[in-house]
Every structure is written in C-alpha cells, then in structure tokens.
C-alpha cells in the first residue's frame, strides 16, 4: 500500500512512533482535539477531513472517544483506506477480558455500516504471513506458532501450514473453547499447554 499523503491514527503512541520512523506523515487530531463529545453540527461543519489524509489506521486506543469515531468515519467516507492493526476483541487482565483493538475497529465499522476494514495487518491476515515468510525469512513448515487465541494465533499457524500450533491457556482461549471449536469443525491447535513456561524443557 503506497500512501502519497498522511495517516490519521486511532491508537497509541507506539503506532505513531513506528509510522514516523518509517517516514509516514501522521495527521494531527481534528478540530476540537481530544474533546470526547461531538454534536451533529460539529460532525458536519467542523470535522471536515483533511484532504491529505489517505488512510485511517486503527489499533487499541485507551483514549478512544465518540469524536474519534466521528472523524475516522468521515475520513474513510471521503476515500481514506481503513486499516486495522489487528482484530483482537480483547485481552485477559486479572482474569477479566479488557477491550482491545478489535473493539475500536468494530465501533468504526459499525459507524460505517460495514463488517470489516479494508485491510487488516494483524494475525491471521495474508499481510502478516507475508511479513513472516518474506520479510523475516521464516519457514513456517519448520516452525511452531504459539498463542492464546484460536481466531488469530492458531488460525495464523493453520493458514500458514506451520509444523505445530500451540495454544497457551494463560490468556483468552480456554479448554472449553477448543472443545467447542472441534465440535463445530473449526480451527484447533496441535497441542494445548497451561502456560508458556510449559514449553521450556
């Protein structure tokens, strides 16, 4: 994806830093800055997209607001490419599921009346597989893919024909999830371990 312009980011500083290090111009916040609210009048008259914004990149944003949804949706409706860093709905913290990037992406998808972004860079996308295989030179047929999610980590391994897929139970997925996936004919790991340390011999 060649961008001849700037990128509006809905996400943390890490995304902005990586883009800037890669020479990508990061757009400023819209009029009103980080003010969370947005009226219909502001949406129409104030949140006019910068014509230089060619893409909207959405990741996990701990300062996610209604105003950001409004501006992102306007930029995308004006022609910007909608890109997600990943679609993980959430991550386990202290035994409870905390919303992740997928929650932010989902809100903007809903605002646009669509099911998914134009491009997903995270697991198990073909873009991620390309980075692993081509940019990093990893031979997945000789690799073990380890993770705590069936729909991203294990799916990446299965899609990429990894030698082994390992699900750790220290994160999101549970033994019950694996059993349900097997019953439904879904993606299941080669093996399941209680925690990552169980793989150290």
């Amino acid at each position: 994806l060649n961008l001849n312009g700037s990128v509006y980011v809905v996400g943390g500083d890490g995304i902005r830093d990586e883009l800037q290090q890669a020479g990508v111009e990061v757009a400023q916040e819209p009029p009103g800055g980080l003010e969370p609210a947005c009226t219909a009048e502001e949406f129409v008259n104030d949140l006019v997209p910068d014509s230089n914004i060619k893409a909207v990149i959405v990741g996990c944003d701990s300062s996610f607001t209604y105003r950001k949804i409004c501006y992102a949706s306007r930029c995308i409706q004006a022609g910007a490419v909608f890109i997600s860093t990943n679609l993980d709905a959430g991550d386990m913290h202290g035994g409870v599921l905390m919303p992740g990037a997928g929650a932010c992406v989902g809100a903007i998808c809903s605002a646009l009346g669509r099911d998914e972004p134009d491009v997903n860079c995270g697991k198990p996308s073909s873009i991620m597989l390309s980075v692993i295989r081509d940019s990093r030179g990893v031979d997945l047929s000789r690799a073990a893919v380890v993770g705590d999610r069936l729909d991203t980590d294990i799916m990446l391994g299965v899609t990429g024909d990894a030698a082994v897929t390992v699900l750790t139970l220290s994160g999101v997925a549970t033994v019950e999830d694996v059993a349900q996936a097997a019953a439904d004919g879904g993606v299941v790991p080669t093996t399941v371990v209680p925690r990552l340390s169980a793989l150290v011999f």
Side-chain angles (χ1 to χ4, degrees), residues 14-89:
I15 300 173
R16 293 179 180 83
D17 292 344
E18 289 286 340
L19 289 170
Q20 290 170 338
Q21 288 173 22
V24 177
E25 180 185 351
V26 177
Q28 299 297 312
E29 290 295 331
L34 298 178
E35 169 65 35
C38 180
T39 65
E41 182 178 355
E42 289 174 318
F43 179 72
V44 173
N45 299 320
D46 297 340
L47 298 190
V48 178
D50 180 342
S51 61
N52 193 46
I53 294 176
K54 304 304 180 184
V56 174
I57 297 182
V58 183
C60 187
D61 189 338
S62 60
S63 300
F64 195 57
T65 65
Y66 182 64
R67 194 177 195 86
K68 289 184 179 182
I69 297 175
C70 288
Y71 191 59
S73 71
R74 285 219 58 181
C75 290
I76 295 165
Q77 290 179 74
V81 180
F82 182 9
I83 303 171
S84 65
T85 61
N86 69 83
L87 298 176
D88 289 4

Side-chain angles (χ1 to χ4, degrees), residues 164-191:
V164 178
T165 55
V166 182
L167 180 76
T168 63
L169 298 177
S170 53
V172 175
T174 65
V175 171
E176 290 75 20
D177 292 331
V178 175
Q180 188 61 58
D184 295 340
V187 171
V188 295
T190 308
T191 189

Side-chain angles (χ1 to χ4, degrees), residues 133-186:
R133 286 172 170 159
D134 304 330
S135 300
R136 300 301 178 188
V138 176
D139 181 357
L140 282 172
S141 69
R142 301 180 60 198
V145 174
V146 183
D148 68 335
R149 302 183 67 98
L150 293 172
D151 59 343
T152 55
D153 304 317
I154 304 307
M155 178 66 83
L156 177 77
V158 171
T159 303
D161 294 322
V164 178
T165 55
V166 182
L167 180 76
T168 63
L169 298 177
S170 53
V172 175
T174 65
V175 171
E176 290 75 20
D177 292 331
V178 175
Q180 188 61 58
D184 295 340

Side-chain angles (χ1 to χ4, degrees), residues 27 40 103 108 133 147 193 200-201:
I108 295 172
R133 286 172 170 159
V193 295
V200 180
F201 299 101

